[in-house]
Amino acid sequence: MDTAPDTTLRIGVMPGDGIGPEIVPEAVAVMSAAVEAESAPALVFDDVPVGWSAYLEHGNTLPPGTIERLAGFDGLILGPINHAAYPSSPDCPNPHPIIRKRLDLFANLRPARTFSGARSLHDGVDLVVVRENNEDFQPDRNMIAGCGEFQATEESAYSIRVITRRQSERIARTAFDLAGHRRRRVTVIHKKTVFKITDGLFFDSVVRVANDHPDVELTDEHVDTAAMRLVMTPENFDVVLCPNLYGDIISDLAAGLVGSLGMAPGLSAGDDIAMAQATHGSDIAGQHLANPCAMVLSGRLLLEWLAAKHADDRLRRAAGRIERAVADVLEEGKWVTPDLGGDATTSEMGNAIVRGCRLAADG
């Protein structure tokens, strides 16, 4: 089933900080080329000021009314946010956890796969880390007001962990639904021998959901053992289901296995809206040498999410064009950035992927 031909989808674009204004336009250009090649619904991109540029222009890294405006889009793109460099001020909050929480982007999807031509520690890796996004130890997301981390005395600091059955079952359903379209295996990550109550509740919630998916195999690993096995035999993993903090760490480990954060896309998704957000850092800004692949492939994930939401095969095919174009550019090796062994600029690599999207065969 395809969406009506005259449908347009509005995408809010937050270029972010550092290399964000260099890599985000490449993702926008690639997405536009892919949907045009498939005669898919047109994408209309609107810039939304967030991050350091927003602070310089509006006096706040997340100006008033931004969340309400973001909620009106069909999808979002967020570039890297260099919040560690922000001044300690109420006017300089870290925008992305607030966006995730307020828009209920409860599921963080972080694929890691090897591409021919890209430097990686292993061949044959194709896994997705499915990370709960809005609770656990992260103090900026686990309270409706106040903070889940505090210091009671000069010598004592505390963090409160929040695990709920509702959020655990939601993220589990996301993982099992995804596995049903892949290799039908979910590995749940925990440390329930130590965190008997919180990880115990998470694990029990996952088992409940697993009972509704008898066609998907469920295995489990302690987080420390999982880290070891990922380093040794990552090709054995399919969908890796994690609470928030474990998922944050495991997904960066997985990115290292297949190249770097420059090859690590991400999507934060809710029921009504999703946000493409690569796991990039924001250094080497201004040199125009940043690898755009992670941001481009995050745009692919957003198109896949929109395809599922709107039951539109053209958007699904457009997403496939992006992945094939990235794979072809990496394999050819002519237009790749220095981290991949080439000497191309960010825009030169982005242009090569755009050309690939226009040429890629239907699939």
Side-chain angles (χ1 to χ4, degrees):
M1 174 181 178
D2 286 341
T3 307
D6 59 350
T7 296
T8 59
L9 298 171
R10 295 180 61 241
I11 310 297
V13 179
M14 298 164 279
D17 307 327
I19 62 171
E22 300 169 33
I23 61 173
V24 169
E26 304 307 324
V28 168
V30 169
M31 292 173 70
S32 297
V35 299
E36 182 180 353
E38 290 292 347
S39 300
L43 304 179
V44 178
F45 298 93
D46 291 330
D47 282 351
V48 180
V50 160
W52 188 242
S53 62
Y55 178 77
L56 295 177
E57 184 176 355
H58 301 284
N60 198 300
T61 53
L62 191 65
T66 299
I67 296 295
E68 291 75 14
R69 183 180 176 191
L70 293 175
F73 288 101
D74 296 292
L76 304 171
I77 298 173
L78 177 63
I81 295 293
N82 191 21
H83 63 90
Y86 292 173
S88 180
S89 165
D91 296 327
C92 293
N94 181 1
H96 67 79
I98 301 173
I99 294 169
R100 288 171 174 177
K101 186 71 172 179
R102 293 282 299 277
L103 296 183
D104 194 24
L105 305 180
F106 67 92
N108 190 210
L109 310 181
R110 294 191 177 182
R113 61 158 290 193
T114 50
F115 286 90
S116 177
R119 299 168 177 171
S120 60
L121 297 177
H122 292 270
D123 296 325
V125 179
D126 182 9
L127 62 87
V128 182
V129 177
V130 178
R131 167 193 171 197
E132 197 287 319
N133 224 9
N134 281 336
E135 53 183 32
D136 201 359
F137 271 119
Q138 277 76 344
D140 50 14
R141 274 162 273 177
N142 64 12
M143 296 286 165
I144 193 171
C147 183
E149 187 173 51
F150 59 95
Q151 187 167 1
T153 71
E154 288 291 330
E155 305 299 327
S156 302
Y158 301 85
S159 288
I160 298 174
R161 188 184 199 201
V162 177
I163 298 288
T164 65
R165 188 175 298 281
R166 176 178 182 270
Q167 290 297 88
S168 298
E169 290 188 353
R170 289 178 86 191
I171 196 64
R173 284 192 291 271
T174 299
F176 278 89
D177 289 345
L178 177 61
H181 297 285
R182 290 174 51 88
R183 301 195 304 277
R184 299 184 181 275
R185 185 180 183 192
V186 172
T187 303
V188 58
I189 307 300
H190 62 86
K191 190 75 171 178
K192 64 188 180 73
T193 54
V194 176
F195 297 104
K196 297 180 184 296
I197 297 177
T198 48
D199 273 11
L201 178 60
F202 183 81
F203 184 82
D204 180 68
S205 300
V206 171
V207 171
R208 287 190 181 194
V209 174
N211 291 333
D212 296 328
H213 295 80
D215 58 330
V216 176
E217 178 188 3
L218 175 64
T219 61
D220 70 285
E221 294 277 7
H222 286 70
V223 63
D224 44 350
T225 304
M228 178 190 69
R229 294 191 190 281
L230 279 165
V231 170
M232 296 176 66
T233 55
E235 65 277 5
N236 291 340
F237 289 85
D238 181 17
V239 174
V240 182
L241 172 58
C242 308
N244 200 343
L245 183 59
Y246 301 158
D248 194 12
I249 298 166
I250 289 292
S251 56
D252 277 17
L253 185 155
L257 296 175
V258 298
S260 68
L261 290 179
M263 295 299 301
L267 185 77
S268 291
D271 293 328
D272 301 317
I273 193 169
M275 179 172 70
Q277 181 187 9
T279 53
H280 265 300
S282 58
D283 54 356
I284 69 170
Q287 299 179 43
H288 301 282
L289 297 175
N291 181 351
C293 283
M295 198 73 248
V296 167
L297 291 170
S298 297
R300 178 192 71 83
L301 292 175
L302 179 57
L303 287 183
E304 284 189 338
W305 184 88
L306 288 168
K309 181 179 181 181
H310 295 282
D312 194 314
D313 282 342
R314 293 167 299 174
L315 290 171
R316 180 190 58 79
R317 293 194 298 267
R321 279 181 178 266
I322 293 175
E323 182 142 13
R324 290 192 298 275
V326 168
D328 290 345
V329 168
L330 290 171
E331 185 169 12
E332 182 185 22
K334 181 179 179 180
W335 299 107
V336 297
T337 47
D339 63 305
L340 296 167
D343 57 8
T345 65
T346 303
S347 59
E348 286 173 339
M349 188 171 185
N351 289 339
I353 298 171
V354 166
R355 292 193 297 271
C357 283
R358 291 171 176 156
L359 294 173
D362 291 349

